[in-house]
Amino acid sequence: MDISSLVNSEDLFELQLLHPATEEPLGISFMIRSAESNEVKKIVRQHSDRFLASRKKKLTTSKVEAEYLDKAAAAIASWSWGEQQWKGEQPVLSFEKAREVVEEAGWIYDQVAGASEDRANFMKSLPKGFQKL
């Protein structure tokens, strides 16, 4: 078996958002990039470059939090809100809007970040005998 193609970090994973209390599907789907995709790595590199360029500044909790939020926002490649709304509207995807959503709704952040970090979501198929959680 050629293991070099087990994971394709450039594939997208369809995440069906679940209600944070009932875990019922909300009719909202996000296409998620892998945390190892080029688009997400680009955001991580930008943060690292800024930090390294300003060595005199200390790394703060708020800077780390901002990096995690930016990384999650970058992981959202597209979305469909179905019949649902965000602040009374059907949001148009932009990095800024995705950042707003993941920052203001921690439960959405959790689902997006979890899906993006889970390598199994970006595998063509799992070997026989393995289960996907």
Side-chain angles (χ1 to χ4, degrees), residues 10 26-27 38 42 44 55 65 67 70 78 87 113-114 118:
E10 298 306 319
L26 292 169
N38 290 329
K42 182 169 66 174
V44 172
R55 291 183 189 207
E65 181 181 279
E67 181 174 337
D70 286 354
S78 65
K87 296 185 177 183
D118 186 353

Side-chain angles (χ1 to χ4, degrees), residues 69-89:
L69 291 168
D70 286 354
K71 187 175 174 182
I76 301 171
S78 65
W79 61 24
S80 172
W81 286 78
E83 300 297 317
Q84 306 297 345
Q85 297 183 350
W86 175 259
K87 296 185 177 183
E89 67 178 17

Side-chain angles (χ1 to χ4, degrees), residues 3-125:
I3 64 169
S4 67
S5 62
L6 281 178
V7 178
N8 184 345
S9 298
E10 298 306 319
D11 276 352
L12 299 177
F13 172 76
E14 184 174 5
L15 170 67
Q16 297 293 325
L17 282 185
L18 303 177
H19 188 283
T22 66
E23 296 191 356
E24 293 292 320
L26 292 169
I28 301 170
S29 61
F30 287 10
M31 294 306 290
I32 302 297
R33 293 181 180 102
S34 167
E36 297 171 344
S37 70
N38 290 329
E39 283 297 312
V40 175
K41 283 182 178 179
K42 182 169 66 174
I43 293 295
V44 172
R45 287 183 190 114
Q46 287 173 358
H47 279 274
S48 296
D49 288 346
R50 273 188 241 128
F51 176 71
L52 292 172
S54 61
R55 291 183 189 207
K56 293 180 184 179
K57 295 181 182 178
K58 291 183 180 181
L59 185 61
T60 63
T61 305
S62 63
K63 287 179 184 175
V64 172
E65 181 181 279
E67 181 174 337
Y68 282 116
L69 291 168
D70 286 354
K71 187 175 174 182
I76 301 171
S78 65
W79 61 24
S80 172
W81 286 78
E83 300 297 317
Q84 306 297 345
Q85 297 183 350
W86 175 259
K87 296 185 177 183
E89 67 178 17
Q90 287 280 315
V92 175
L93 181 62
S94 67
F95 178 81
E96 292 75 20
K97 184 58 75 173
R99 176 68 155 69
E100 173 188 318
V101 169
V102 296
E103 181 173 17
E104 293 183 21
W107 61 274
I108 294 177
Y109 167 84
D110 289 344
Q111 292 181 45
V112 168
S116 180
E117 295 286 339
D118 186 353
R119 269 192 201 101
N121 290 335
F122 305 96
M123 294 180 76
K124 295 291 183 201
S125 62

